[in-house]
Structure formats: C-alpha cells, structure tokens
C-alpha cells in the first residue's frame, strides 16, 4: 500500500513540476524579439519596443515628443515607428497570445478519478480509480522542446517584422525628405518660369513680342506649374506614408523634416563576403534552419505516436462490502491501457513526417539561395546608385551650373536673352532635383543592402531602375541649327 | 597706348622641317612682326625712293635687293592676333600677323616674292588688281599648282601699274580668307623730274587698311570659317575698336586713306568733319574730272577705294563704317527688344534663381556702354570705349581722325583727346522752358502711346574687378 501510494505521489509531483516548467513569458517575449532585431533595425542601436510597463511608456512618450519637436532625423523616425506603429503592436500582442497558447499546450491533462458505487444483492461495491493518460507525460520533454522551438520561430518571425518596419520607416523617411527638397527645387523653377511668363506678358503688352512668342513662355509656365503640383503631391504623399509607419496622426504629424539628406559616403562598401554575411546573419535563414531542426526532431516520434495511441495508467481500489457480514474486501491494482496496432502501424504518419522534413530542408535551401541572390543584387543596386549619385553630384550638377553661369555672362553681353538665361537656370535646378533623387536612391539602396545582409527579405524595390523625370523643356533652342547654303 | 605683344610660335614644326637649311640659306630672311601695334616704316633703305604708307596696326615688309630685283619673303602660317586688348583670335596670317605685312614697291620695280607655306594645307597667292604674266596670278589649278604645305614657291613680275592692291590666297580661298589670310600691296608711282605724277598727288599722311570680318562666337578664339552672313567681328586689319589706332594729321595736311574690302558685304566708310574725293581704286587712279565730293564712300566686296582730303578742321573726328551693326562688338542678333518693358517686381524674382541677374535693355542698350558686366572669356563688350565725355558705345569698324594744329611731320602717335575751344561744344539748356522756340507737333502725329514708362527698374551695377578684362 505504501509503495504504490508513494509512487503515485511521485508521479503526480513530477507531473506538476513538469507542468510548472511551462510558464507564460512576462513581457510576451518582447525582450527576445528585441534581442534578435538588435543591430538589424536600419542602423538604430537598441530601439525600444512597445512595453506594458507604465514607467517605460511614459519615458518613451517623452522621448517621442522631444524628437518630434526638432527636425525629425531618420533614427528618431525608426525609433518612433518601432514604439508607436499599431501594426507592430498587434503583431507583438499576437506573439504574447501564442506564448500563452504554448503554455496551455504543455499543461498536462488532469488525472481522472472514477468513483463507482454498485450493489448486487448482498454486496455493496465502491470503486475508486485514479486514472492518468500517460502519453502526454511521457512525451512532455519532447513536446516542451518543440513548443520552445516553435516559439523561437514565432519570435524570429516577429523580429523580422520589426526589422522590416525599421527599414520601411527609414526608406519612407528618405523618400519624404527627398520629396520635400525636390518640391522646393520645383518651386524655384516655377518662380523662374513665372518671371519669364510675366516678362513675356509685359513684352507683348508694349508690342515687343507677338502673342505667339508670349504663348511659348506661357506654355512653359503651365508645364512648370503642373510639375510643381506633382512635386507637392509627392511630398505630401511620402510624408503621409512616413507618418503612418510611425503611427502618428493629428498634432503629432506636424513634425518638420530636415532640409537635406545625409551626404554620400566617401567610399562605397566593398562586396567582399556579403553572401557569407547574409547567410550568417539573416533572420529568415535562421528561422528556416530552426524549422528544419524542429521538423526533423519530430520525425521519430511521429512514427510511434499514432499506433502507440494513448497509454492509459490507472490505479484502482475497489472495496466490496458484504452487507450481511459487514466484511469488506479491498481490491487494489494497476491497470494499463494500450492500443493494439492492428490497423494503423504509423506508416502514413512517418511518411508525412519524412515529407515534412524534406520540405523543410528544401525550404531552407530556397531561403539560403534567395538570401545569396538578394545580397548580390542589393549590393549591385547599391554600388550603381552610388556611382549614379556621385556622377550627378560631381559632374552633372557642376556642368549645368557652369552652363547656366556662362549663359548669364552671355546675357550680360546681350548675346543671349533673359529667357535663355532663365531656361538654363531651370535646367540647372532640374539637375539639382535629379541629384537629390539620385542621392535618395543611393540611401534607399543602402537600406536595402543592410536589410538584405543582416535582416531579412523585403519585397520593395529602391526605385533605381526607374529613371528620373525628364527635366523641364528648355525655352527656345539656345543653339539654332546652322543654315546651309 | 600700352599694348600687349603676342609672339606667334604657332608655325608648324613639320612645315618648318620640310624646307632644308641649305635651301633656306639662299632665300631672303623671314621678317617677323610680334605685335599688333602700328609700325611706321622707315624710308626705303634700297631701291627707288618713295613715301611709305602707314598700315593701321600693321607693318610693311622689308626686302633685299638682289641684282636689281626686290626680293620679299612671305610665310603663310598660323598666328595669334590681338584684335583689341583682352581679345585674341587664332588666325592664319603672314610673317606672324594677320593681315600680312604691306608690300610696298615702286612702279617699274622687278619684284620676286618667295612664299613659304607653313599652313597645314596647300595655299597660293593672288596679287589682286595687278598686271602680271598669267602664270603669276596665283589661282591654284588655273594658273599654277597650289603650294603644298612645307614648300616655298617664287612669284616674279614687274610692278607695272601704280596704285592700291591686295594679296590673298586663291586656294581653299573661302577658308583661308575666313581665317584672316590677306595683306595690302602698294605700288608707288614713278615721279617725273619735278617729283610729280599726273594723277597721283603726294600725300603727307598715307594710311592703308583692309576691311575684314570674322565669326568668333563669344567665349571662343577661333573663327567659324563656314559662316556666310552672320559675322560678329567687324575689323580693320584684323583689329577692332577700341584697338584700332587713330589716323593723325596736322591741320592742312593732305591725307590719303586706302581701304580694301575682303569681307562678304559692302561697307560705306564715312569720315566726319571733312569732304573727300575717291582718287583711285584697285583699277587705278581716277581722272580728276571724274571725281566728286563725298563724306561716305561705299566699298563693295573685293573693291578698293583710295580717298584723299585736306585735314583742315581741327578736332577728333569719327571715321567708321556707316552700317551701325559694323560698329558693334559681338552681339546677339536674336535677342528680343526689351525697350519699354516694365521690369518692376520681377528683378528680385529672377535674382532668386539667377543671383547675378540685372535688368538690361529696358531703356535701350546704352547701359552696355557704361556697365562693366562680367562677360564670357575672350569677349569684348558689344559697345565700349570711353572718351573725354563718357562712353563712345562703339565697337568694330571705328576709329578717330585726329587733326591738330601742331604736329611734327614724322609724328604718328596718338595725339590724345581734343580740347574744344570754349563756346564750340553743344551745351545743356538751363533757361526757362518758355524761352524755347515752340516745338509744333506734326499734324498727322498719332496720339502719344499709352504704354506706361514710369519707374524704370533700378540697375544694380557690380563693381569692377570681376571681368578679367584689361581696360
């Protein structure tokens, strides 16, 4: 009696202990997500994720207010997005839910106590059976491990979302800043066209120009007005996108943006070791590897589980009391319940598990292949964007400026008209706008490269392949075709 | 006048090398002239005497006598010519300058001219207006094979007719003349025992220049040789105002001016303050009965005119081509008229995008004469030059005849500004408007234009120093 009792106790205690091992993460795994995302959030060190701690929340809100009071820098934008983006908050909350579900899944089923009272003529039988499904208990260590792996995967997925959001925000910031600058440039260009058109109007008014000549300048004005409207729309749209990613609205969205993009680096990054780095550091590669481990681990078990079914273990103590004599006969004993693998030998389940392993292996290969290719193409895009931005800045803009200055000298000598001078000035401003866009495209490509090397896959393109808008048409040709004779 | 000197080292080494030392030793030396200053020739050291002409901003070619023959040596070569201080052009010329040196001989002289070609292509020399053997006329292909690059040809003939002539290539003529390859030739008359000639009077001052035109775009220094009509550099002897030396004379002197036209259009040459007569052309002396008084004579393309007058009015008298566009420097012929266009409110707007912008032409173009605006490199303002009373607003084919009471016969220097006797200059009326004679309006005059001319925009004048021009 003692031994079995103590055995029972032991078993129960063990169950309780094991079950107690699985507890819900207090911060909904945010710490782990943060650790995984750290160093992969678009160049921002240790960004804070939304917290349930009121003190931390207050501090972060104060910091956000401070960042929004000054011209908004890219790092601050990323931090605000990680703190305030509702989509990310929902994602992290879901991770907490999944964690609670994991703990739920690892909780052992409660043992069953069967009580029976039977009477047969002269006997009264009281049956007490304490039964316990053993399969969950036996498999608990494995299941704990798989569930842990699954959670790790979920955490990795969430971290990838954090990384994506960080890079998306950086890209949105770059686009918003550049669009605002381009709009300012277009404004200057429109002012020039405006002056040209007004002067043309006055020329026609006093009879120095025909209405045809005036109409040509007027047409330039309408073109530049349309371009300005588009540039302003683009600036507003890009800004909206940035605000949305940062989770800002209302008064918070009235922040100012800096009036320039960061300068180009003196030297672009080299391409050595980018593929190795991508395979080493990318979160999606890591997640695929973890998935393969997990699936492979379950393979052996999967073959056994179906035909093993549930192993039932029960301890029964039956007391039979003769009513006449009052003599009680106690019946104690263990009872084990096993499935007979008559039909299901687990072959299908094994094949299924094997298939899953193969599938996971192939998926890992696919993710690795994609990571390599993305690293290479991202670097190529980065390098090309760098060269284009350098050329625009060091060659095209100075050339346009020189042409504009030389045309001004010719205007001074009455060798060129004020409209030719304005046309060249417009072309020069257009070159500045193109240079801004090239500079923006470089930083977008740089963000893509960082994400491709250390973060994860993204499905947005940097827009390098799309050529910049053609410049405003210059006025009348400055160099008319020479006439033959 | 302080002038810069440009030495042409542009002769091609290849051409120079192809003429052997021994061959060159037999030739007369090659005189070179290193500046665009007027070089007054000395009295002839050898041969028959004559009174040399003064080639404006040019020189006369020395010769050597060889057994009674005057031997000259012309070298056709690339040169750099200063058209005015601050404006130089790559041209083709002779003996270091464009135009080439003036060749002066006397009627009846036997002349031998060695022509060495240091151009990158073949050339020839046509002696415009001369009587000479057909094979000496210089039309390549017709009269002679062209002179190949690096070779020396010899022309030899007797100067049979006195007068004013030119020389220029007749091989790839359009290109070579558009590049400034030309020169003057003067055949002085043989005089009788009394030192006279029946048709050619002795002149105290004998000036000569060629009219030539170039297409040199602002900021460049080589002519566009393919231009046919739209030239922008109107020159006398490859020189433009204010780079053209004045014509000086003592009061009462007989002045002769010989002008040849090697441009593509005619030039009415006009002299202020005097009447003159055309006493000769490249066809010879005009008989006295066929002369008539003029103040302007039109010189058609390929023509020469020799005019004479007595400089009897003291003062600084303008001498210029009367085509007003020909007294301008490089200008934009497509630039619209800005006169009367109100610029108010637009200046700041334009300066926002072109910081150096300033209004020009709103009241006319005279602002150009006064303002020192930065211009493209190697470009003169289209109108410039300053006299004692302000800007002359001139350029191109413009010079000054300076007649003075006291001037030594051999003094050819610029006499400075003329000081007018009191009471002989136009003055500002400061009296009451009522004292003015009435100014009736023509009966058919249209009503005054309603175009508002109020409030011309203020012109911001940058200080000097940004132009890089020598003034």
């Amino acid at each position: 009696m003692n031994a079995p009792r103590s055995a029972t106790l032991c078993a129960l205690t063990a169950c309780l202990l094991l079950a107690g091992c699985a507890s819900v993460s207090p911060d909904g795994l945010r710490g782990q997500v943060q650790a995984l995302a750290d160093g992969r959030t678009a160049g921002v060190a240790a960004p804070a994720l939304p917290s349930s701690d009121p003190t931390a929340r207050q501090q972060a809100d104060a910091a956000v207010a401070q960042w929004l009071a000054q011209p908004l820098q890219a790092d601050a934008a990323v931090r605000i997005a990680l703190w305030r983006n509702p989509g990310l908050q929902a994602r992290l909350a879901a991770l907490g839910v999944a964690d609670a579900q994991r703990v739920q899944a690892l909780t052992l089923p409660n043992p069953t106590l069967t009580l029976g009272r039977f009477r047969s003529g002269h006997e009264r039988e009281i049956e007490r059976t304490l039964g316990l499904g053993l399969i969950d208990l036996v498999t608990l260590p494995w299941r704990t491990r798989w569930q842990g792996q699954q959670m790790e995967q979920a955490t990795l997925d969430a971290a990838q979302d954090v990384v994506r959001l960080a890079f998306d925000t950086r890209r949105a910031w770059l686009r918003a800043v550049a669009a605002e600058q381009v709009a300012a440039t277009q404004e200057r260009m429109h002012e020039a066209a405006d002056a040209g058109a007004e002067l043309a109007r006055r020329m026609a008014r006093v009879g120095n120009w025909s209405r045809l000549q005036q109409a040509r300048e007027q047409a330039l004005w309408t073109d530049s007005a349309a371009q300005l409207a588009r540039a302003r729309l683009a600036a507003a749209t890009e800004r909206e996108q940035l605000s949305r990613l940062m989770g800002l609205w209302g008064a918070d969205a009235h922040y100012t943006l800096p009036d320039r993009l960061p300068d180009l680096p003196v030297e672009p990054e080299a391409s050595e070791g980018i593929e190795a780095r991508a395979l080493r550091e990318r979160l999606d590669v890591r997640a695929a590897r973890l998935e393969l481990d997990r699936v492979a681990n379950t393979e052996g078990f999967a073959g056994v589980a179906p035909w093993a079914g549930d192993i039932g273990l029960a301890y029964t103590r039956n007391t039979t009391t003769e009513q006449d004599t009052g003599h009680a006969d106690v019946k104690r004993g263990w009872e084990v319940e096993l499935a007979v693998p008559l039909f299901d030998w687990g072959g299908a389940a094994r094949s299924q598990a094997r298939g899953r392993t193969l599938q996971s292996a192939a998926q890992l290969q696919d993710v690795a292949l994609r990571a390599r290719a993305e690293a290479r193409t991202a670097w190529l895009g980065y390098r090309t964007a760098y060269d284009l931005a350098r050329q625009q800045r060091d060659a095209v803009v100075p050339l346009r400026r020189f042409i504009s200055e030389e045309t001004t000298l010719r205007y001074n000598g009455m060798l060129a008209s004020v409209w030719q001078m304005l046309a060249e000035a417009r072309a020069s401003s257009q070159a500045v706008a193109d240079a801004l866009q090239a500079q923006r495209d470089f930083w977008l490509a740089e963000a893509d490269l960082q994400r491709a090397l250390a973060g994860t896959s993204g499905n947005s393109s940097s827009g390098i392949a799309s050529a910049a808008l053609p410049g405003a048409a210059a006025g009348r040709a400055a160099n008319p075709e020479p006439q033959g004779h | 006048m302080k002038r810069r000197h440009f030495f042409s080292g542009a002769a091609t080494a290849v051409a120079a090398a192809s003429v052997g030392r021994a061959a060159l030793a037999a030739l007369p030396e090659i005189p070179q002239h290193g500046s665009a200053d007027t070089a007054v020739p000395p009295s002839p050291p050898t041969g028959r005497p004559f009174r040399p002409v003064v080639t404006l901003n040019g020189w006369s070619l020395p010769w050597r006598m060889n057994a009674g023959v005057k031997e000259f040596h012309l070298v056709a070569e690339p040169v750099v010519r200063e058209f005015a201080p601050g404006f130089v052009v790559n041209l083709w010329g002779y003996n270091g300058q464009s135009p080439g040196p003036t060749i002066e001989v006397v009627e009846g002289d036997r002349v031998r001219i060695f022509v060495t070609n240091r151009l990158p292509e073949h050339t020839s020399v046509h002696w415009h207006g001369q009587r000479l053997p057909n094979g000496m006329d210089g039309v390549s292909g017709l009269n002679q094979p062209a002179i190949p690059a690096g070779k020396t040809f010899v022309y030899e003939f007797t100067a049979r007719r006195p007068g004013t002539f030119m020389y220029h290539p007749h091989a790839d003529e359009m290109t070579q003349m558009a590049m400034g390859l030309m020169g003057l030739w003067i055949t002085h008359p043989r005089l009788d025992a009394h030192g006279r000639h029946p048709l050619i009077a002795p002149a105290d001052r004998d000036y000569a220049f060629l009219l030539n035109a170039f297409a040199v775009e602002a900021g460049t220094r080589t002519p566009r040789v393919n231009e046919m009509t739209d030239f922008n550099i109107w020159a006398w002897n490859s020189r433009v105002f204010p780079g053209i030396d004045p014509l000086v004379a003592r009061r009462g002197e007989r002045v002769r001016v010989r002008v040849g036209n090697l441009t593509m259009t005619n030039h009415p040459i006009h002299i202020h303050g005097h009447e003159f007569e055309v006493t000769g052309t490249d066809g010879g002396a005009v008989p006295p009965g066929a002369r008539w008084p003029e103040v302007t004579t039109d010189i058609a393309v390929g023509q020469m005119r020799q005019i004479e007058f007595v400089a009897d009015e003291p003062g600084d008298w303008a001498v210029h081509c009367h085509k007003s566009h020909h007294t301008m420097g490089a200008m934009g012929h497509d630039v619209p008229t800005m006169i009367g266009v109100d610029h108010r409110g637009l200046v700041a707007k334009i300066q926002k995008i072109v910081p150096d912008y300033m209004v020009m032409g709103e009241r006319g173009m005279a602002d150009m004469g006064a303002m020192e605006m930065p211009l493209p490199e190697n470009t003169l303002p289209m109108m410039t030059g300053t006299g004692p009373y302000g800007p002359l607003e001139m350029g191109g084919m413009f010079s000054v005849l300076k007649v003075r009471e006291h001037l030594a016969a051999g003094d050819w220097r610029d006499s400075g500004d003329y000081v007018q006797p009191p009471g002989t200059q136009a003055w500002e009326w400061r009296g009451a408007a009522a004292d003015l004679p009435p100014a009736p309006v023509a009966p058919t005059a249209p009503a005054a234009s309603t175009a508002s001319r109020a409030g011309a925009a203020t012109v911001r004048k940058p200080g000097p120093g940004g132009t890089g021009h020598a003034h």
Side-chain angles (χ1 to χ4, degrees):
Chain A
M1 161 91 207
N2 267 352
R5 219 173 250 189
S6 61
T8 310
L9 218 65
C10 279
L12 285 172
T13 313
C15 291
L16 289 173
L17 278 172
L18 278 169
C21 275
S23 62
V24 180
S25 156
D27 68 345
L29 295 171
R30 275 156 210 227
Q32 290 183 47
V33 171
Q34 199 163 318
L36 283 169
D38 196 18
R40 297 180 171 86
T41 44
V44 179
L49 290 179
S51 162
S52 47
D53 173 27
T55 326
R57 271 218 300 267
Q58 270 179 349
Q59 281 174 343
D61 286 344
V64 167
Q66 210 179 354
W67 289 326
L68 291 175
Q70 307 149 7
L72 181 71
Q73 297 305 321
D75 287 9
V78 171
R79 284 179 198 279
I80 295 172
L82 294 184
W83 183 252
R84 287 267 182 96
N85 180 286
L88 185 66
Q89 290 177 1
R91 185 75 182 73
L92 293 173
L95 188 66
V97 172
D99 189 38
Q101 282 170 337
R102 171 190 67 101
V103 173
Q104 181 69 55
L106 288 179
T107 307
L108 289 178
N110 294 326
T112 51
L113 176 64
T114 318
L115 293 176
R117 187 167 179 282
F118 311 94
R119 295 173 70 150
S120 61
H122 58 274
E123 279 185 343
R124 186 188 63 217
E125 194 176 338
I126 292 177
E127 216 177 85
R128 309 173 201 77
T129 307
L130 187 64
L132 184 66
L134 272 191
I135 191 76
D136 282 348
L137 185 61
V138 172
T139 59
L140 188 64
W142 283 284
R143 286 191 304 118
T144 307
R145 201 168 71 207
W146 305 329
Q147 288 282 1
Q149 283 174 327
Q150 218 159 7
M151 269 334 287
E152 212 176 318
Q153 261 193 295
T155 313
L156 271 171
D157 286 349
Q160 288 183 67
D161 284 343
V162 170
V163 170
R164 274 194 202 98
L165 175 64
F167 278 106
D168 284 353
T169 308
R170 182 171 168 77
R171 292 169 52 88
W173 180 89
L174 289 166
R175 287 178 171 286
V177 172
E180 228 169 62
Q181 288 180 292
V182 168
T185 310
Q186 290 285 0
E187 225 144 276
R188 277 203 302 281
M189 286 168 71
H190 184 61
E191 273 175 354
D194 198 42
E198 175 57 24
L199 202 54
R201 204 175 58 79
R202 298 182 191 184
M203 288 280 284
R205 195 175 59 200
V206 296
N208 295 12
W209 257 6
S210 65
R211 288 179 57 197
L212 169 63
Q213 287 164 302
Q214 188 206 332
R216 290 205 172 101
E217 291 299 326
Q218 193 69 27
L220 279 179
W221 181 91
T222 54
D223 283 353
S224 87
Q227 271 198 317
L228 175 60
R230 287 191 198 101
R232 280 177 174 161
L233 172 66
T237 310
E238 299 292 7
R239 193 192 164 88
E240 280 295 340
Q241 172 66 2
L242 174 63
S243 298
R244 199 172 67 79
L245 286 173
M246 292 195 297
L248 300 180
W249 58 278
D252 277 350
H254 293 158
Y255 53 87
T256 57
L257 288 169
D259 58 5
R260 51 188 318 217
L261 289 166
D263 287 335
L264 295 178
V266 182
E267 284 293 330
E269 280 186 39
S271 62
E272 274 80 55
I274 50 168
E275 289 178 54
R277 190 181 155 197
L279 292 180
R280 200 172 53 240
E281 296 188 20
R282 271 175 71 135
L283 294 179
D284 55 349
V285 176
R286 194 186 289 195
R289 194 172 290 127
L290 193 71
E291 164 79 3
L292 176 61
D293 288 350
R294 190 178 64 79
V295 172
N297 273 338
T298 59
E299 203 180 321
F301 173 73
V304 176
W307 62 259
D310 195 358
I311 304 166
L313 177 69
Y315 172 73
T316 309
R317 184 170 180 274
N318 287 353
T319 318
T320 314
T321 312
E322 291 206 17
Q323 284 175 344
D324 305 347
T325 59
H327 169 75
D329 190 10
V330 177
K331 219 186 339 170
R332 300 188 197 83
W334 293 88
E335 172 174 5
V336 176
E337 189 187 342
L338 291 172
V340 182
L342 195 59
F343 310 113
D344 185 357
W345 279 91
R350 268 197 302 277
S351 303
Q352 211 178 87
R354 249 201 315 280
R356 286 227 174 82
T357 309
L358 286 174
Q359 185 188 11
S360 294
Q363 269 165 351
L364 172 60
Q365 210 176 3
D366 183 46
V367 170
L369 203 63
R370 192 177 59 193
R372 283 173 184 276
E374 278 182 2
R376 282 195 307 270
T377 49
W379 185 84
L380 202 59
Y382 163 88
R383 181 63 223 227
T384 307
Y386 180 81
D387 292 343
L388 286 173
R390 271 291 291 265
Q391 189 203 30
Q392 194 71 29
R393 183 192 70 184
D394 297 345
V396 180
V397 170
L399 267 175
R400 276 286 158 205
R401 199 159 279 155
F402 176 78
I403 290 169
S404 182
E405 283 164 5
E406 284 290 318
T407 307
T408 305
L409 294 181
R410 277 152 186 76
Y411 165 78
N412 290 345
M414 291 197 181
L415 299 152
S417 75
V418 66
W419 292 274
Q420 283 169 311
M421 181 182 72
L422 287 172
E424 291 303 348
R426 280 201 309 274
S428 179
S429 290
Q430 183 61 52
V432 170
D434 292 348
L436 280 172
Q437 281 165 330
Q439 195 180 351
R440 173 203 67 191
D441 288 346
F442 165 76
W443 284 114
L444 291 176
E446 192 267 351
D448 284 353
L449 178 64
Q450 295 312 329
R451 192 190 51 206
L453 292 188
T456 178
S457 179
N459 43 13
S460 41
S461 68
S462 60
I464 294 218
S466 68
L469 283 172
R476 271 167 302 288
N479 301 304
E481 286 297 304
Q483 295 188 337
H485 61 277
Chain B
M1 268 193 208
K2 186 83 193 75
R3 298 202 179 287
R4 295 166 66 194
H5 290 236
F6 286 84
F7 288 90
S8 158
T12 53
V14 175
S18 61
V19 180
R21 237 174 223 291
L24 279 172
L27 299 180
E29 62 174 30
I30 303 167
Q32 285 273 338
H33 192 54
S35 87
D37 298 350
T38 302
V40 178
S43 287
T46 54
R48 297 187 183 90
F50 60 85
R51 296 182 75 172
V53 300
V54 168
T55 308
L56 281 187
N57 297 96
W59 60 303
S60 292
L61 188 61
W63 66 88
R64 77 175 180 196
M65 294 301 290
N66 185 356
V69 178
K70 270 190 180 171
E71 290 188 336
F72 295 91
H73 193 169
L74 279 177
V75 178
E77 60 189 357
V79 302
V80 177
R81 173 72 170 180
E82 185 200 59
F83 274 57
F87 178 39
V88 297
V89 186
N90 301 325
L91 293 179
W92 286 355
Y94 296 101
N95 301 55
Q97 294 294 326
S98 161
T102 303
I103 294 173
E104 296 190 72
V105 296
V106 180
E107 183 185 354
D109 278 355
R110 186 71 184 165
V111 187
R112 185 177 299 132
I113 306 124
F114 297 87
V115 178
T116 297
N117 180 8
R118 289 183 183 165
L119 299 171
E121 68 169 356
H122 69 212
T123 188
S124 73
V125 185
H126 163 60
W127 313 99
H128 173 110
Q130 308 262 16
R131 288 274 180 154
L132 37 63
N134 183 254
M136 293 293 167
D137 198 42
V139 179
S140 70
L142 181 66
N143 309 125
Q144 63 165 96
I147 310 169
K151 298 292 185 192
T152 300
F153 271 43
V154 184
Y155 292 89
E156 188 168 331
F157 54 90
T158 300
R160 285 155 62 181
R161 189 159 66 69
T164 306
F165 307 105
M166 313 184 266
Y167 62 91
H168 61 77
H170 229 295
D172 192 15
E173 185 185 354
M174 181 210 85
T175 305
Q176 298 191 5
M177 291 197 17
M179 288 296 285
L181 214 47
M182 55 190 69
L184 284 154
W185 175 301
I186 310 296
T187 301
H188 294 277
R190 284 281 282 277
L191 305 176
D192 61 15
H194 305 288
R196 280 198 288 261
H197 185 279
L199 293 178
I200 303 168
D204 303 299
R205 308 268 172 177
D206 202 338
Y207 290 100
F209 58 88
L210 286 172
L211 307 169
N212 49 8
F214 301 91
V216 184
E217 281 187 18
T220 69
R221 39 183 300 170
T222 307
R224 273 190 306 108
V225 297
N226 293 316
E227 182 55 59
M228 184 173 71
T229 53
D230 194 15
F231 296 93
N232 61 351
I233 305 299
W234 302 99
W236 290 355
N237 283 348
S238 309
R239 198 83 183 154
V240 295
F241 180 80
I244 301 174
D245 281 345
L247 295 80
V248 299
R250 189 174 66 230
R251 185 180 183 182
E253 281 185 329
R254 184 167 190 81
V255 178
R256 180 183 295 134
V257 183
R258 311 168 191 249
V259 190
N261 180 3
L262 286 177
T263 73
M264 307 263 245
T265 185
N266 61 308
H267 298 279
I269 298 298
H270 174 54
I271 298 182
H272 289 216
H274 298 79
E275 309 79 31
F276 59 76
E277 286 180 340
V278 176
T279 58
T281 72
D282 30 359
V286 178
R291 302 175 188 180
W292 67 86
E294 278 286 18
V295 294
T296 303
T297 187
D298 193 25
I299 307 171
V301 180
Q303 282 187 343
M304 306 192 78
R305 289 288 176 268
Q306 177 185 293
I307 62 179
E308 287 170 36
F309 59 95
V310 175
D312 52 5
E313 288 290 347
D316 286 351
W317 304 104
V319 182
H320 60 89
C321 173
H322 215 293
K323 285 189 174 179
S324 56
H325 267 254
H326 295 182
T327 53
M328 297 287 266
M331 61 172 291
H333 293 135
D334 302 328
V335 176
T337 303
M338 305 301 291
I339 293 170
V341 179
D342 184 1
H343 281 67
R344 276 175 303 174
L346 292 178
V347 181
K349 214 170 195 175
I350 297 175
Q351 278 172 352
K352 224 175 185 176
I353 186 154
V354 185
D356 296 335
Y357 165 79
M358 51 188 295
V359 176
M360 276 189 299
E362 184 183 4
R363 300 170 300 189
M365 293 202 179
D367 288 340
M368 268 304 283
M371 292 193 297
E372 285 190 9
M373 301 285 292
L375 296 178
E377 62 175 343
N378 200 44
T379 302
L380 291 179
M382 71 176 182
M383 40 209 235
T384 180
T386 308
Y389 307 107
L392 265 72
E393 296 159 4
M394 284 276 134
M397 296 176 160
F398 182 94
S399 187
V400 182
L401 166 67
K402 300 196 167 191
V403 182
R404 297 291 185 272
E405 292 285 355
H406 308 291
L407 194 68
D411 190 355
W412 300 83
R413 291 169 307 169
D414 185 339
S415 320
D417 293 330
Y418 180 68
V419 182
Q420 293 139 352
T424 63
Q425 191 194 33
W427 73 99
E428 184 189 353
W429 170 257
R430 290 204 173 87
D435 296 341
L436 287 169
V441 176
T444 55
S449 160
T450 51
S452 144
R453 279 301 315 119
T458 39
V459 175
R460 184 179 55 86
K461 297 194 182 182
T467 65
H469 287 183
H471 289 285

